[in-house]
Amino acid sequence: ACKAVTKAIGSVSGYEQLQREIEILKKLRHRHAVQVLAVYETSRKVYMVMEYCAGGELLRGMREAGFPFDLSIIQLVIVNLLDVLKYLHDHGIVHRDIKPENILLHHALPQTHRSAAGGVGTALPDTPMYADRPLLHIKLSDFGLATYTTSCTMMDNVVGTPLYMAPEIVQNLGYSAGCDVWSVGVMLYLLLTGYARDTERLLHGMIQNGTIEYPDKIWSHVPPSARDLVQQMLQIDPAQRITAREALSHPW
């Protein structure tokens, strides 16, 4: 796969961010982070040859293959995502744009058949087709907004995708690595409730109002331990928010 970026004439900051993205990608050595294989530069463009992920975007790949949003699948996605975030944060890197579109499937998923009662909690078929490789192998991609930070550094530039942006970013209060955990919390909230458009709008409104609620209509089937993890990730106060390392040790 190749990512081509046109150099913006007169944009020093844009070129610096591009160089930072390349530098970060070259340093990454994690099985759940997309690898850059080569970089070529002309007077007008920069070409990044990236590791190819045949399965495409996570949600699209799951839906096209007829995969149910089974709890075990959601756990696998979140654990792998938290694992690469812990790696990034331990190395002083914040991604700043965690969202489903930036999570790729390394290989295409086998076609399955969703039952009439599909959705969260539907069991995956127990077949040999999954025995030779991981059922889902995700790769975090698009480090275009990634930057360096430390536990003592607070950033203040507003970047990211609105639905997944932490409150401290929106309110321009300064932020650090906790903004990535918030984004994963938003993803987990939506994955556990089926990723419906209505739920996206509901959650976005709650985030804007500064209060996250868990209506029984969409949460009654979710295990209490999973809900507890979401609640710890979606703490409005970043000082109270769980870290990626802590989340990996959560009982769920």
Side-chain angles (χ1 to χ4, degrees):
C2 184
K3 178 179 179 179
V5 182
T6 302
K7 296 178 181 178
I9 298 175
S11 176
V12 176
S13 61
Y15 185 72
E16 288 177 347
Q17 180 61 48
L18 176 60
Q19 292 301 313
R20 186 182 302 122
E21 177 183 5
I22 293 170
E23 181 182 331
I24 288 173
L25 283 168
K26 285 182 175 179
K27 288 182 177 180
L28 296 182
R29 294 292 183 273
H30 193 282
R31 66 189 302 267
H32 294 301
V34 168
Q35 302 295 305
V36 63
L37 306 177
V39 178
Y40 303 98
E41 186 171 352
T42 68
S43 59
R44 298 180 61 185
K45 290 190 176 184
V46 175
Y47 299 89
M48 288 180 276
V49 181
M50 312 293 294
E51 176 183 13
Y52 179 60
C53 294
E57 295 176 8
L58 171 68
L59 291 184
R60 182 182 299 175
M62 289 179 69
R63 285 167 174 158
E64 288 179 353
F67 257 55
F69 289 100
D70 178 75
L71 285 174
S72 62
I73 296 300
I74 296 172
Q75 281 180 314
L76 182 59
V77 169
I78 296 301
V79 166
N80 291 344
L81 186 52
L82 287 170
D83 191 50
V84 69
L85 280 185
K86 180 178 76 68
Y87 169 84
L88 292 175
H89 296 170
D90 285 349
H91 287 79
I93 299 168
V94 183
H95 187 278
R96 300 199 294 182
D97 199 19
I98 303 292
K99 58 183 178 181
E101 293 84 352
N102 289 339
I103 299 171
L104 306 179
L105 292 165
H106 186 258
H107 53 258
L109 296 174
Q111 294 293 315
T112 64
H113 298 282
R114 187 191 297 269
S115 70
V120 174
T122 304
L124 285 170
D126 184 14
T127 65
M129 70 174 69
Y130 308 122
D132 61 341
R133 60 183 178 179
L135 184 58
L136 282 179
H137 186 175
I138 67 164
K139 293 275 187 174
L140 180 60
S141 68
D142 197 346
F143 286 75
L145 295 180
T147 191
Y148 295 105
T149 186
T150 68
S151 59
C152 299
T153 301
M154 295 294 283
M155 297 168 284
D156 58 9
N157 46 330
V158 178
V159 296
T161 301
L163 176 59
Y164 299 92
M165 286 168 59
E168 60 268 25
I169 298 179
V170 177
Q171 297 171 26
N172 203 24
L173 299 176
Y175 59 96
S176 57
C179 67
D180 284 344
V181 176
W182 173 277
S183 300
V184 178
V186 172
M187 273 191 58
L188 182 53
Y189 187 110
L190 294 171
L191 281 168
L192 289 169
T193 54
Y195 242 106
R197 292 293 184 188
D198 287 346
T199 308
E200 286 187 5
R201 287 190 287 268
L202 174 67
L203 180 56
H204 196 197
M206 290 189 292
I207 292 171
Q208 290 178 319
N209 292 331
T211 304
I212 310 300
E213 299 176 353
Y214 301 83
D216 286 342
K217 182 179 179 180
I218 57 176
W219 277 91
S220 59
H221 63 281
V222 178
S225 58
R227 174 170 168 168
D228 179 72
L229 178 57
V230 176
Q231 289 175 319
Q232 292 196 51
M233 287 179 160
L234 295 184
Q235 287 291 321
I236 300 295
D237 181 358
Q240 301 299 317
R241 196 175 303 150
I242 197 170
T243 66
R245 180 181 295 275
E246 291 167 343
L248 282 169
S249 299
H250 189 275
W252 188 68

